Every structure is written in structure tokens, then in C-alpha cells.
Amino acid sequence: ETHRQHHDPNKVQLSTLLNIKTGGCQEDCKYCAQSVKYDTGVEAEKLLDRAQVRAAAEKAKKAGAGRFCMGAAWRELKDRDVEKLANIVRDVKDLGLEACMTLGMLTRPQADALKDAGLDYYNHNLDTSEEFYERIVSTHSYRDRLDTLANVRDAGLKVCSGGIVGLGESRVDRAGLLETLANLSPQPESVPINKLVSVAGTPLGDVDALDAFEFIRTIAVARILMPRSYVRLSAGRRSLSDEGQALCFYAGANSIFYGDKLLTTGNPEHEADRRLFDRLGLEADGGAH
């Protein structure tokens, strides 16, 4: 009922995610394949050049995505890279796509520069509750994350912020994450809910998988607490059955990452998603079905 008051229940927003800078991150996030702290087989690479990113954005638009999200495995954005990224944003906007970036922590002047280039959204997840956070990340604090979100909001960018469930946290921690997100003012326009994809070589490589119904409940509570936000099924969607995904949409999810890869982990392919949408009577928000 909450979902239907604020959204068309049969429309789902489609976003495509491209890793524009892989590996080599100095952070120690215990779930992450891109950390230099763990041996996961992911090699550090340089920032993709402008033409490569534009070609990927063109492909995403052709496949039906309305938003193009770009992620770099950095602890924080360096000033020397701001102009390169601003040019990439301009290219994505020239294609008529919404543009989102996740580049780690950033300052207010950096956020202003990206906003001036046309960036629509900035993603910076809180990951989990403040109480559980220190068991997952030690290289920067929960306050650092909140400060970055404040810089993003103050620059006039839309906020994309969510978390990861299945890290070994309790239901209370999942509720705490959603409570913190819901008390941001204003609330995030986009809330990605990730289901942990265990990666061999990370400290969470053998953690027990979260029960699918617990994940669906998390989606439902996110929808009730943040009625106007887009709640996105993000990493881990491949581990859900079609029926599990259907229940997530029924519970209030109305956005997905669309494509065959999320950073370094798999994702359902375009055609599989199209078939599922057809079976459920769903269509892409914006008409690009």
C-alpha cells in the first residue's frame, strides 16, 4: 500500500553499473574483492579512458538503461582526477542518460565540480548499522561516510545510499541501517539494498548466506520507512530465484541494476531480466522496455 501511494507498482527503474577503475583499493572492507588487503585474484587497473566509458554508456542506453552508474575502487577522490571524471559525466549526459558515480569519500569542492559537470547522483553506502560497522571496516569511520553524504547533499546532488545485508549482522543491525538512512534529511532518492556476494579470499568469503525471506523483509521495511525513494535490488540478485525477485518487487523494490556484471560479481543478463519482466507484467520506468 505504501509503495502504491507513491509509485507505479508495475514500473521498475533500470540502472547499469560500470567499474571505471578496478582493484587496488587501500580500504579493508571485509566483503570487497577489490581491496589490496585480500588475495581475491582481482588485479589493480588504471582508470578507463573517456572513449571506453562512453562506448559502455551507449551500449547501456541501447539495452534500455535509464541511468548509468560508474564506480571506482578508491578510498577517496583525488583532486587530480576531478576534471577527467567531469568530462566523463558530460559524455554520459550528452547521451540523455542519468549519471551516477561512486568514488569513495569526497570533499564539498569536488562534489561541486561533479555537480557542475552534470552529475545527477552520487552513491556512498553506509554498509550496515553504526554499531556493527567497526566489525566490517576499520580504515574509515561511520562519521566519514555521513560527512561525505552531507557534502553530496550540500552540493545539490541527489543521494544514492544503502547497504549490504548478509554480512553476519543481526536483524537489529539491519533495522539500524534502515533507521539511519530514513533519518537523513532529506531521505536518499535512491536506496540500493545489496545481498552479500561472498568472494573467496575475503574475510567474509565463507559466511552463511542470508535467508531470502529476511532479505525480502529488509526490502519491505526500506519501502515503508522511505516511501518516495527508489529501492534498488543490487548485488546478490543472481542468488535469488525468479519467485524471490517477484516478492522483492511486491515488497516495494522498484529499481534494479541491469546488465551482466556488477563491479566484480555477476548479475542476471539483460534477456533474463526482460523475460522476467514480461512474466510479471513489469516495464521499465521511462518506457525503455
Side-chain angles (χ1 to χ4, degrees), residues 119-206:
L119 190 68
D120 297 293
Y121 286 82
Y122 193 82
N123 166 262
H124 199 61
N125 290 334
L126 295 181
D127 284 355
T128 187
S129 71
E130 186 169 8
E131 294 76 13
F132 192 70
Y133 183 83
E134 64 182 13
R135 295 176 57 181
I136 302 300
V137 185
S138 71
T139 43
H140 70 261
S141 70
Y142 211 70
R143 173 47 54 187
D144 290 333
R145 290 186 181 263
L146 292 170
D147 288 346
T148 289
L149 292 178
N151 290 335
V152 168
R153 184 63 82 188
D154 289 346
L157 289 162
K158 294 177 181 177
V159 168
C160 174
S161 186
I164 307 171
V165 296
L167 300 169
E169 78 286 346
S170 68
R171 181 181 283 185
V172 171
D173 289 312
R174 289 189 282 279
L177 165 67
L178 297 178
E179 180 184 20
T180 302
L181 291 168
N183 278 289
L184 294 175
S185 183
Q187 293 182 336
E189 285 83 359
S190 184
V191 180
I193 304 295
N194 298 274
K195 187 172 181 286
L196 178 69
V197 178
S198 297
V199 177
T202 65
L204 298 180
D206 57 359

Coordinates of all heavy atoms in Angstrom, one line a residue, residues 119-206:
L119 N 26.5 15.7 -13.1 CA 26.3 14.5 -12.4 C 24.9 14.7 -11.6 O 24.6 15.7 -11.0 CB 27.4 14.3 -11.4 CG 27.3 12.9 -10.7 CD1 27.6 11.8 -11.6 CD2 28.3 12.8 -9.5
D120 N 24.1 13.6 -11.7 CA 22.8 13.6 -11.1 C 22.9 13.0 -9.7 O 22.3 13.6 -8.7 CB 21.8 12.8 -11.9 CG 21.6 13.4 -13.3 OD1 21.0 14.5 -13.4 OD2 22.0 12.7 -14.3
Y121 N 23.5 11.8 -9.5 CA 23.5 11.1 -8.3 C 24.9 10.8 -7.8 O 25.8 10.6 -8.7 CB 22.8 9.7 -8.4 CG 21.3 9.8 -8.5 CD1 20.7 10.0 -9.7 CD2 20.5 9.5 -7.4 CE1 19.3 10.0 -9.8 CE2 19.1 9.5 -7.5 CZ 18.5 9.8 -8.7 OH 17.2 9.8 -8.8
Y122 N 25.1 10.8 -6.5 CA 26.4 10.2 -6.0 C 26.1 9.1 -5.0 O 25.2 9.3 -4.1 CB 27.2 11.3 -5.3 CG 28.6 10.9 -5.0 CD1 29.6 10.9 -6.0 CD2 29.0 10.3 -3.8 CE1 30.9 10.5 -5.8 CE2 30.3 9.9 -3.6 CZ 31.2 10.0 -4.6 OH 32.5 9.5 -4.3
N123 N 26.7 8.0 -5.2 CA 26.5 6.8 -4.3 C 27.6 6.7 -3.3 O 28.8 6.8 -3.6 CB 26.5 5.5 -5.2 CG 26.6 4.3 -4.3 OD1 27.7 3.7 -4.1 ND2 25.5 3.9 -3.7
H124 N 27.2 6.6 -2.1 CA 28.1 6.3 -1.0 C 27.3 5.5 0.1 O 26.5 6.1 0.8 CB 28.6 7.6 -0.4 CG 29.9 7.4 0.4 ND1 31.1 6.9 -0.1 CD2 30.2 7.7 1.7 CE1 32.0 6.9 0.8 NE2 31.5 7.3 1.9
N125 N 27.5 4.2 0.1 CA 26.7 3.4 1.0 C 27.2 3.4 2.5 O 28.4 3.6 2.7 CB 26.7 1.9 0.5 CG 26.0 1.7 -0.8 OD1 25.1 2.4 -1.1 ND2 26.4 0.7 -1.5
L126 N 26.2 3.3 3.4 CA 26.6 3.2 4.8 C 27.0 1.8 5.2 O 27.5 1.6 6.3 CB 25.4 3.6 5.7 CG 25.0 5.1 5.5 CD1 23.8 5.4 6.4 CD2 26.2 6.0 5.8
D127 N 26.7 0.8 4.4 CA 27.0 -0.6 4.5 C 26.2 -1.3 5.5 O 25.5 -2.3 5.2 CB 28.5 -0.8 4.8 CG 29.4 -0.6 3.6 OD1 28.9 -0.5 2.5 OD2 30.6 -0.7 3.8
T128 N 26.2 -0.9 6.8 CA 25.5 -1.6 7.8 C 25.2 -0.6 9.0 O 25.3 0.6 8.8 CB 26.3 -2.8 8.3 OG1 25.5 -3.6 9.2 CG2 27.6 -2.4 9.0
S129 N 24.7 -1.1 10.1 CA 24.5 -0.2 11.2 C 25.8 0.4 11.8 O 26.8 -0.2 11.6 CB 23.7 -1.0 12.3 OG 24.6 -1.9 13.0
E130 N 25.7 1.5 12.5 CA 26.8 2.1 13.1 C 27.5 1.2 14.1 O 28.7 1.1 14.2 CB 26.5 3.4 13.7 CG 27.7 4.2 14.3 CD 27.3 5.6 14.7 OE1 26.1 6.0 14.7 OE2 28.3 6.4 15.0
E131 N 26.6 0.4 14.8 CA 27.1 -0.5 15.9 C 27.9 -1.7 15.3 O 28.9 -2.1 15.9 CB 26.0 -1.0 16.7 CG 25.3 0.0 17.5 CD 24.3 0.9 16.7 OE1 24.0 0.6 15.6 OE2 23.9 1.9 17.3
F132 N 27.5 -2.2 14.1 CA 28.2 -3.3 13.5 C 29.3 -2.9 12.6 O 30.2 -3.7 12.3 CB 27.2 -4.1 12.7 CG 27.6 -5.5 12.3 CD1 27.8 -6.5 13.2 CD2 27.9 -5.8 11.0 CE1 28.2 -7.8 12.9 CE2 28.3 -7.0 10.6 CZ 28.5 -8.0 11.5
Y133 N 29.4 -1.6 12.2 CA 30.3 -1.2 11.2 C 31.7 -1.5 11.5 O 32.5 -1.9 10.6 CB 30.1 0.4 11.0 CG 30.9 1.0 9.9 CD1 30.5 0.9 8.6 CD2 32.1 1.6 10.2 CE1 31.2 1.5 7.6 CE2 32.9 2.2 9.2 CZ 32.4 2.1 7.9 OH 33.2 2.7 6.9
E134 N 32.2 -1.3 12.7 CA 33.6 -1.5 13.0 C 34.1 -2.9 12.8 O 35.3 -3.2 12.7 CB 33.9 -1.0 14.4 CG 33.3 -1.8 15.5 CD 33.6 -1.2 16.9 OE1 34.1 -0.1 17.0 OE2 33.3 -1.9 17.9
R135 N 33.1 -3.9 12.8 CA 33.5 -5.3 12.5 C 33.6 -5.5 11.0 O 34.1 -6.6 10.7 CB 32.4 -6.2 13.1 CG 32.3 -6.1 14.6 CD 31.2 -6.9 15.2 NE 31.3 -8.3 14.8 CZ 30.4 -9.3 15.2 NH1 29.3 -8.9 16.0 NH2 30.5 -10.5 14.8
I136 N 33.3 -4.6 10.2 CA 33.4 -4.7 8.7 C 34.5 -3.9 8.1 O 35.1 -4.3 7.2 CB 32.0 -4.4 8.1 CG1 30.9 -5.3 8.7 CG2 32.1 -4.6 6.6 CD1 31.1 -6.8 8.5
V137 N 34.6 -2.7 8.6 CA 35.6 -1.7 8.1 C 36.3 -1.0 9.2 O 35.7 -0.6 10.2 CB 34.9 -0.6 7.2 CG1 35.9 0.3 6.5 CG2 33.9 -1.2 6.2
S138 N 37.7 -0.9 9.1 CA 38.4 -0.2 10.1 C 39.2 1.0 9.5 O 39.7 1.9 10.2 CB 39.4 -1.1 10.8 OG 40.5 -1.4 9.9
T139 N 39.2 1.1 8.2 CA 40.1 2.1 7.5 C 39.4 3.5 7.4 O 40.0 4.5 7.0 CB 40.6 1.6 6.2 OG1 39.5 1.0 5.5 CG2 41.7 0.7 6.3
H140 N 38.1 3.6 7.6 CA 37.5 4.9 7.8 C 36.2 4.7 8.6 O 35.7 3.6 8.7 CB 37.3 5.7 6.5 CG 36.2 5.2 5.6 ND1 36.5 4.5 4.5 CD2 34.9 5.4 5.6 CE1 35.4 4.2 3.8 NE2 34.4 4.7 4.5
S141 N 35.7 5.7 9.2 CA 34.7 5.7 10.2 C 33.3 5.8 9.6 O 33.1 6.3 8.5 CB 34.9 6.7 11.3 OG 34.6 8.0 10.7
Y142 N 32.3 5.5 10.4 CA 30.9 5.7 10.0 C 30.7 7.2 9.8 O 30.0 7.7 8.9 CB 30.0 5.2 11.1 CG 28.6 4.7 10.6 CD1 28.5 3.5 9.9 CD2 27.4 5.4 10.9 CE1 27.3 3.0 9.4 CE2 26.2 4.9 10.5 CZ 26.2 3.7 9.7 OH 25.0 3.2 9.3
R143 N 31.3 8.1 10.7 CA 31.1 9.5 10.5 C 31.7 10.0 9.2 O 31.2 10.9 8.6 CB 31.9 10.2 11.7 CG 32.0 11.7 11.7 CD 30.7 12.4 11.3 NE 29.6 12.1 12.1 CZ 28.3 12.5 11.9 NH1 28.0 13.2 10.8 NH2 27.3 12.1 12.7
D144 N 32.8 9.4 8.8 CA 33.4 9.8 7.4 C 32.3 9.6 6.4 O 32.2 10.4 5.4 CB 34.6 8.9 7.1 CG 35.8 9.2 8.0 OD1 35.9 10.4 8.4 OD2 36.6 8.3 8.2
R145 N 31.6 8.5 6.4 CA 30.6 8.2 5.4 C 29.5 9.2 5.5 O 29.0 9.7 4.5 CB 30.0 6.8 5.6 CG 31.1 5.7 5.2 CD 30.4 4.3 5.2 NE 31.5 3.3 4.9 CZ 31.6 2.8 3.7 NH1 30.9 3.2 2.7 NH2 32.6 1.9 3.5
L146 N 29.0 9.5 6.7 CA 27.9 10.5 6.8 C 28.4 11.9 6.4 O 27.6 12.6 5.8 CB 27.5 10.5 8.3 CG 26.7 9.3 8.8 CD1 26.5 9.3 10.3 CD2 25.4 9.1 8.1
D147 N 29.7 12.2 6.6 CA 30.2 13.5 6.2 C 30.2 13.6 4.7 O 29.9 14.7 4.1 CB 31.6 13.8 6.7 CG 31.6 14.0 8.2 OD1 30.5 14.3 8.8 OD2 32.7 14.0 8.9
T148 N 30.6 12.5 4.0 CA 30.6 12.5 2.5 C 29.2 12.7 2.0 O 28.9 13.5 1.1 CB 31.2 11.2 2.0 OG1 32.6 11.2 2.2 CG2 30.9 11.0 0.5
L149 N 28.2 12.0 2.6 CA 26.8 12.2 2.2 C 26.4 13.7 2.4 O 25.6 14.2 1.6 CB 25.9 11.3 2.9 CG 26.0 9.8 2.6 CD1 25.1 9.0 3.4 CD2 25.8 9.5 1.1
A150 N 26.8 14.3 3.4 CA 26.5 15.7 3.7 C 27.1 16.6 2.6 O 26.4 17.5 2.1 CB 27.0 16.1 5.1
N151 N 28.3 16.3 2.2 CA 29.0 17.1 1.1 C 28.2 16.9 -0.2 O 28.0 17.9 -0.9 CB 30.4 16.6 0.9 CG 31.3 17.1 2.1 OD1 31.0 18.0 2.8 ND2 32.4 16.3 2.3
V152 N 27.8 15.7 -0.5 CA 27.0 15.4 -1.7 C 25.7 16.2 -1.7 O 25.3 16.9 -2.7 CB 26.7 13.9 -1.8 CG1 25.7 13.6 -2.8 CG2 28.0 13.1 -2.0
R153 N 25.0 16.2 -0.6 CA 23.7 16.8 -0.5 C 23.8 18.4 -0.6 O 23.1 19.0 -1.2 CB 23.0 16.4 0.8 CG 21.6 17.0 1.0 CD 20.7 16.5 -0.1 NE 20.1 15.2 0.2 CZ 19.4 14.4 -0.7 NH1 19.2 14.9 -1.9 NH2 18.9 13.2 -0.3
D154 N 24.9 18.9 0.1 CA 25.1 20.3 0.1 C 25.5 20.9 -1.3 O 25.2 22.0 -1.6 CB 26.2 20.7 1.1 CG 25.8 20.5 2.6 OD1 24.5 20.4 2.8 OD2 26.7 20.5 3.5
A155 N 26.0 20.0 -2.1 CA 26.4 20.4 -3.5 C 25.2 20.4 -4.4 O 25.3 20.8 -5.5 CB 27.5 19.5 -4.0
G156 N 24.1 19.9 -3.9 CA 22.8 19.8 -4.7 C 22.7 18.5 -5.5 O 21.8 18.4 -6.4
L157 N 23.6 17.5 -5.2 CA 23.5 16.2 -5.9 C 22.4 15.4 -5.2 O 22.2 15.5 -4.0 CB 24.8 15.5 -5.9 CG 25.9 16.1 -6.7 CD1 27.3 15.6 -6.3 CD2 25.7 15.7 -8.2
K158 N 21.8 14.5 -6.0 CA 20.9 13.5 -5.4 C 21.7 12.4 -4.7 O 22.8 12.1 -5.2 CB 20.0 12.9 -6.4 CG 19.0 13.9 -7.0 CD 18.2 13.3 -8.1 CE 17.2 14.4 -8.7 NZ 16.5 13.8 -9.9
V159 N 21.2 11.9 -3.6 CA 21.9 10.9 -2.8 C 21.5 9.5 -3.1 O 20.2 9.2 -3.1 CB 21.7 11.2 -1.3 CG1 22.2 10.0 -0.5 CG2 22.5 12.5 -0.9
C160 N 22.4 8.6 -3.4 CA 22.2 7.2 -3.5 C 23.0 6.5 -2.4 O 24.2 6.6 -2.3 CB 22.7 6.7 -4.9 SG 22.6 4.9 -5.1
S161 N 22.2 6.0 -1.4 CA 22.9 5.4 -0.3 C 22.1 4.2 0.3 O 20.9 4.4 0.5 CB 23.2 6.4 0.8 OG 23.9 5.9 1.9
G162 N 22.7 3.1 0.5 CA 22.0 1.9 1.0 C 23.0 1.1 1.9 O 23.8 1.7 2.6
G163 N 23.0 -0.2 1.7 CA 23.9 -1.0 2.5 C 23.9 -2.5 1.9 O 23.3 -2.8 0.9
I164 N 24.6 -3.3 2.7 CA 24.8 -4.7 2.4 C 24.2 -5.5 3.5 O 24.5 -5.3 4.7 CB 26.2 -5.1 2.2 CG1 26.9 -4.1 1.2 CG2 26.4 -6.5 1.8 CD1 28.4 -4.3 1.1
V165 N 23.4 -6.5 3.2 CA 22.8 -7.4 4.3 C 23.4 -8.8 4.0 O 23.7 -9.1 2.9 CB 21.3 -7.4 4.3 CG1 20.8 -6.0 4.7 CG2 20.7 -7.8 3.0
G166 N 23.5 -9.5 5.1 CA 24.1 -10.9 5.0 C 25.6 -10.8 5.4 O 26.4 -11.8 5.0
L167 N 26.1 -9.8 6.1 CA 27.5 -9.7 6.5 C 27.7 -10.4 7.8 O 28.9 -10.5 8.3 CB 27.8 -8.2 6.7 CG 27.7 -7.3 5.5 CD1 27.8 -5.8 6.0 CD2 28.7 -7.6 4.5
G168 N 26.7 -11.1 8.3 CA 26.8 -11.7 9.6 C 26.1 -10.8 10.7 O 26.2 -11.2 11.9
E169 N 25.5 -9.8 10.3 CA 24.8 -8.9 11.2 C 23.5 -9.4 11.7 O 23.0 -10.4 11.2 CB 24.6 -7.5 10.5 CG 23.4 -7.5 9.6 CD 23.6 -8.2 8.2 OE1 24.7 -8.5 7.9 OE2 22.5 -8.4 7.5
S170 N 23.0 -8.8 12.7 CA 21.7 -9.3 13.3 C 20.5 -8.5 12.6 O 20.8 -7.5 11.9 CB 21.6 -9.0 14.8 OG 21.6 -7.6 15.0
R171 N 19.3 -9.0 12.9 CA 18.2 -8.2 12.4 C 18.1 -6.8 12.9 O 17.7 -5.9 12.2 CB 16.9 -9.0 12.7 CG 15.6 -8.3 12.2 CD 14.4 -9.0 12.6 NE 14.2 -10.2 11.7 CZ 13.1 -11.0 11.8 NH1 12.1 -10.7 12.7 NH2 12.9 -12.0 11.0
V172 N 18.6 -6.7 14.2 CA 18.6 -5.3 14.8 C 19.6 -4.4 14.0 O 19.3 -3.2 13.8 CB 19.1 -5.4 16.3 CG1 19.4 -4.0 16.8 CG2 18.0 -6.1 17.1
D173 N 20.7 -5.0 13.5 CA 21.6 -4.2 12.7 C 21.0 -3.8 11.4 O 21.2 -2.7 10.9 CB 22.9 -5.0 12.5 CG 23.7 -5.1 13.7 OD1 24.0 -4.1 14.4 OD2 24.2 -6.2 14.0
R174 N 20.2 -4.7 10.8 CA 19.6 -4.3 9.5 C 18.6 -3.2 9.7 O 18.5 -2.3 8.9 CB 18.9 -5.6 8.9 CG 19.9 -6.6 8.4 CD 19.2 -7.7 7.6 NE 18.6 -8.7 8.4 CZ 19.3 -9.7 9.0 NH1 20.6 -9.8 8.9 NH2 18.6 -10.6 9.7
A175 N 17.8 -3.3 10.9 CA 16.9 -2.2 11.2 C 17.6 -0.9 11.5 O 17.2 0.2 11.1 CB 16.1 -2.6 12.4
G176 N 18.8 -1.0 12.1 CA 19.6 0.2 12.4 C 20.1 0.9 11.2 O 20.1 2.1 11.1
L177 N 20.5 0.1 10.2 CA 20.9 0.7 8.9 C 19.8 1.4 8.3 O 20.0 2.6 7.9 CB 21.4 -0.5 7.9 CG 21.5 -0.1 6.5 CD1 22.7 0.9 6.2 CD2 21.7 -1.3 5.6
L178 N 18.6 0.8 8.2 CA 17.5 1.5 7.6 C 17.0 2.7 8.3 O 16.6 3.7 7.8 CB 16.3 0.5 7.4 CG 16.6 -0.7 6.5 CD1 15.4 -1.7 6.5 CD2 17.0 -0.3 5.1
E179 N 17.1 2.6 9.7 CA 16.8 3.7 10.5 C 17.7 5.0 10.2 O 17.2 6.1 10.1 CB 16.8 3.4 12.0 CG 16.5 4.5 12.9 CD 16.7 4.1 14.4 OE1 17.4 3.1 14.7 OE2 16.1 4.8 15.2
T180 N 19.0 4.7 10.1 CA 19.9 5.8 9.8 C 19.6 6.4 8.5 O 19.6 7.6 8.3 CB 21.4 5.3 9.9 OG1 21.6 4.7 11.2 CG2 22.3 6.4 9.6
L181 N 19.4 5.6 7.4 CA 19.1 6.1 6.1 C 17.8 6.9 6.1 O 17.7 8.0 5.5 CB 19.0 4.9 5.1 CG 20.2 4.1 4.8 CD1 19.9 2.9 4.1 CD2 21.2 5.0 4.0
A182 N 16.8 6.4 6.8 CA 15.5 7.1 6.8 C 15.5 8.4 7.5 O 14.7 9.3 7.3 CB 14.4 6.1 7.4
N183 N 16.5 8.6 8.4 CA 16.6 9.8 9.2 C 17.5 10.8 8.6 O 17.7 11.9 9.1 CB 17.0 9.5 10.6 CG 15.9 9.1 11.5 OD1 15.0 9.9 11.9 ND2 15.8 7.8 11.9
L184 N 18.1 10.5 7.4 CA 18.8 11.5 6.6 C 17.8 12.5 6.1 O 16.6 12.1 5.8 CB 19.5 10.9 5.4 CG 20.7 9.9 5.8 CD1 21.3 9.3 4.5 CD2 21.8 10.7 6.5
S185 N 18.1 13.8 6.1 CA 17.2 14.8 5.7 C 17.7 15.7 4.6 O 18.7 16.4 4.8 CB 16.8 15.7 6.9 OG 15.8 16.6 6.6
P186 N 17.1 15.6 3.4 CA 16.0 14.7 3.0 C 16.5 13.2 2.9 O 17.7 13.0 2.9 CB 15.5 15.3 1.7 CG 16.7 15.9 1.1 CD 17.5 16.5 2.3
Q187 N 15.5 12.4 2.8 CA 15.9 10.9 2.6 C 16.6 10.7 1.2 O 16.4 11.5 0.3 CB 14.6 10.1 2.7 CG 14.0 10.1 4.1 CD 12.8 9.2 4.2 OE1 12.1 8.9 3.2 NE2 12.5 8.8 5.4
P188 N 17.4 9.7 1.1 CA 18.1 9.4 -0.1 C 17.0 9.2 -1.3 O 16.0 8.5 -1.0 CB 18.9 8.1 0.1 CG 19.0 8.0 1.6 CD 17.8 8.7 2.2
E189 N 17.3 9.7 -2.4 CA 16.4 9.4 -3.6 C 16.5 8.0 -4.0 O 15.6 7.5 -4.6 CB 16.8 10.4 -4.7 CG 16.3 11.8 -4.5 CD 17.3 12.7 -3.7 OE1 18.3 12.1 -3.2 OE2 17.0 13.9 -3.5
S190 N 17.7 7.4 -3.8 CA 17.9 6.0 -4.3 C 18.5 5.2 -3.1 O 19.5 5.7 -2.5 CB 18.8 6.0 -5.5 OG 19.0 4.7 -6.0
V191 N 18.0 4.0 -2.9 CA 18.5 3.2 -1.7 C 18.8 1.8 -2.3 O 17.9 0.9 -2.4 CB 17.4 3.1 -0.6 CG1 17.9 2.3 0.5 CG2 17.0 4.5 -0.1
P192 N 20.0 1.5 -2.6 CA 20.4 0.2 -3.0 C 20.5 -0.8 -1.8 O 21.2 -0.5 -0.9 CB 21.7 0.4 -3.7 CG 22.3 1.6 -3.1 CD 21.1 2.5 -2.7
I193 N 19.8 -1.9 -1.9 CA 20.0 -3.0 -0.9 C 20.7 -4.1 -1.5 O 20.2 -4.8 -2.5 CB 18.6 -3.4 -0.4 CG1 17.8 -2.2 0.1 CG2 18.8 -4.5 0.7 CD1 18.4 -1.5 1.4
N194 N 21.9 -4.4 -1.1 CA 22.8 -5.4 -1.6 C 22.7 -6.7 -0.7 O 22.7 -6.6 0.5 CB 24.2 -4.9 -1.6 CG 24.4 -3.7 -2.5 OD1 24.6 -3.9 -3.7 ND2 24.4 -2.5 -2.0
K195 N 22.6 -7.8 -1.4 CA 22.7 -9.1 -0.7 C 24.1 -9.6 -0.9 O 24.6 -9.7 -2.0 CB 21.7 -10.1 -1.2 CG 21.6 -11.4 -0.5 CD 20.4 -12.2 -1.0 CE 20.2 -13.5 -0.3 NZ 21.2 -14.5 -0.6
L196 N 24.9 -9.8 0.2 CA 26.3 -10.1 0.1 C 26.5 -11.2 -0.9 O 25.9 -12.3 -0.9 CB 26.8 -10.6 1.5 CG 28.3 -11.0 1.5 CD1 29.2 -9.8 1.2 CD2 28.7 -11.7 2.8
V197 N 27.5 -11.0 -1.8 CA 28.1 -12.0 -2.7 C 29.4 -12.4 -2.1 O 30.4 -11.6 -2.1 CB 28.2 -11.4 -4.1 CG1 28.9 -12.5 -5.0 CG2 26.9 -11.0 -4.7
S198 N 29.5 -13.5 -1.5 CA 30.7 -14.0 -0.8 C 31.8 -14.2 -1.8 O 31.6 -14.9 -2.8 CB 30.5 -15.3 0.0 OG 29.5 -15.0 1.0
V199 N 33.0 -13.6 -1.6 CA 34.1 -13.7 -2.5 C 35.2 -14.4 -1.8 O 35.7 -14.0 -0.7 CB 34.6 -12.3 -2.9 CG1 35.8 -12.4 -3.9 CG2 33.4 -11.5 -3.7
A200 N 35.7 -15.5 -2.4 CA 36.8 -16.2 -1.8 C 38.0 -15.3 -1.7 O 38.4 -14.6 -2.6 CB 37.1 -17.4 -2.7
G201 N 38.7 -15.5 -0.5 CA 39.9 -14.6 -0.3 C 39.6 -13.5 0.6 O 40.5 -12.9 1.2
T202 N 38.3 -13.1 0.8 CA 37.9 -12.0 1.7 C 37.6 -12.7 3.0 O 37.2 -13.9 3.1 CB 36.7 -11.2 1.2 OG1 35.6 -12.1 1.1 CG2 37.0 -10.7 -0.2
P203 N 37.6 -11.9 4.1 CA 37.2 -12.4 5.4 C 35.8 -13.0 5.5 O 35.5 -13.8 6.4 CB 37.4 -11.2 6.4 CG 38.5 -10.4 5.7 CD 38.2 -10.5 4.3
L204 N 34.9 -12.5 4.6 CA 33.5 -12.9 4.6 C 33.3 -14.0 3.5 O 32.1 -14.2 3.1 CB 32.6 -11.8 4.4 CG 32.6 -10.7 5.6 CD1 31.6 -9.6 5.3 CD2 32.3 -11.4 6.9
G205 N 34.4 -14.6 3.0 CA 34.2 -15.5 1.9 C 33.4 -16.7 2.2 O 32.9 -17.4 1.2
D206 N 33.3 -17.1 3.4 CA 32.6 -18.3 3.7 C 31.4 -18.1 4.7 O 31.0 -19.0 5.4 CB 33.5 -19.4 4.3 CG 34.2 -18.9 5.6 OD1 34.0 -17.8 6.0 OD2 35.0 -19.7 6.1

